[in-house]
Amino acid sequence: MKRKATAVWNGTIKEGKGNLSTQSQVLQKTPYSFHTRFEDEKGTNPEELIGAAHAGCFTMQLSANLSKEEFNPVELETKCEITFEDGTIKKSHLILTAKVPGISQDKFNELVKHAKENCPVSKLLNTEITLDSTLNG
């Protein structure tokens, strides 16, 4: 399987603007710029997209782990905070709130740790990955 995305940029780094499109067309010429990345202009930026990808991937991996162990999650909600400093992504911090009936805290922690370490996006990122989790929160 291969997925595709396209970035188009016009102009200098500070005055220029670009857009992002995805194969699925969920993003279709979505604007991004210096101002959406480093200020508060409306649009997206690479770090926000990495955060969404990491949160989504981790949550799906955790759901797979729980299902394999015959637990049925009611809801898994993961937020992801990407720390970008000095031109480098320094950290991806996952914040999970989970409603999973019938699971012990120890088993939950084991499956969460596995998902954090083994989801494909975690494996791709060469950065510190941290996690806070709340069960039945």
Side-chain angles (χ1 to χ4, degrees):
M1 172 177 60
K2 292 183 181 181
R3 298 286 184 238
K4 298 176 186 171
T6 303
V8 175
W9 188 265
N10 301 106
T12 65
I13 186 65
K14 285 195 175 182
E15 289 79 30
K17 293 189 186 265
N19 65 70
L20 302 167
S21 299
T22 57
Q23 179 178 341
S24 67
Q25 297 184 348
V26 168
L27 298 179
Q28 188 66 356
K29 296 188 177 183
T30 303
Y32 81 114
S33 68
F34 181 88
H35 305 289
T36 65
R37 193 169 192 185
F38 301 107
E39 298 170 6
D40 291 327
E41 186 175 296
K42 187 176 180 178
T44 193
N45 58 68
E47 293 73 31
E48 178 180 75
L49 297 172
I50 290 167
H54 199 194
C57 186
F58 163 80
T59 305
M60 287 183 76
Q61 181 68 58
L62 179 56
S63 179
N65 292 355
L66 290 163
S67 298
K68 183 178 178 186
E69 296 288 330
E70 298 186 7
F71 295 104
N72 295 310
V74 173
E75 182 175 78
L76 304 172
E77 178 182 300
T78 307
K79 297 176 183 174
C80 183
E81 297 172 348
I82 298 294
T83 301
F84 183 67
E85 294 174 353
D86 301 323
T88 302
I89 294 174
K90 300 280 188 176
K91 182 178 182 180
S92 179
H93 180 65
L94 300 166
I95 304 159
L96 168 67
T97 302
K99 294 179 185 170
V100 185
I103 192 169
S104 71
Q105 187 69 52
D106 287 343
K107 187 64 172 178
F108 176 74
N109 291 344
E110 172 192 327
L111 297 176
V112 166
K113 181 179 183 217
H114 179 275
K116 180 185 112 180
E117 293 171 354
N118 291 288
C119 87
V121 173
S122 287
K123 288 181 175 182
L124 173 70
L125 296 174
N126 185 19
T127 193
E128 177 184 2
I129 299 171
T130 58
L131 175 101
D132 291 326
S133 65
T134 304
L135 175 61
N136 296 326

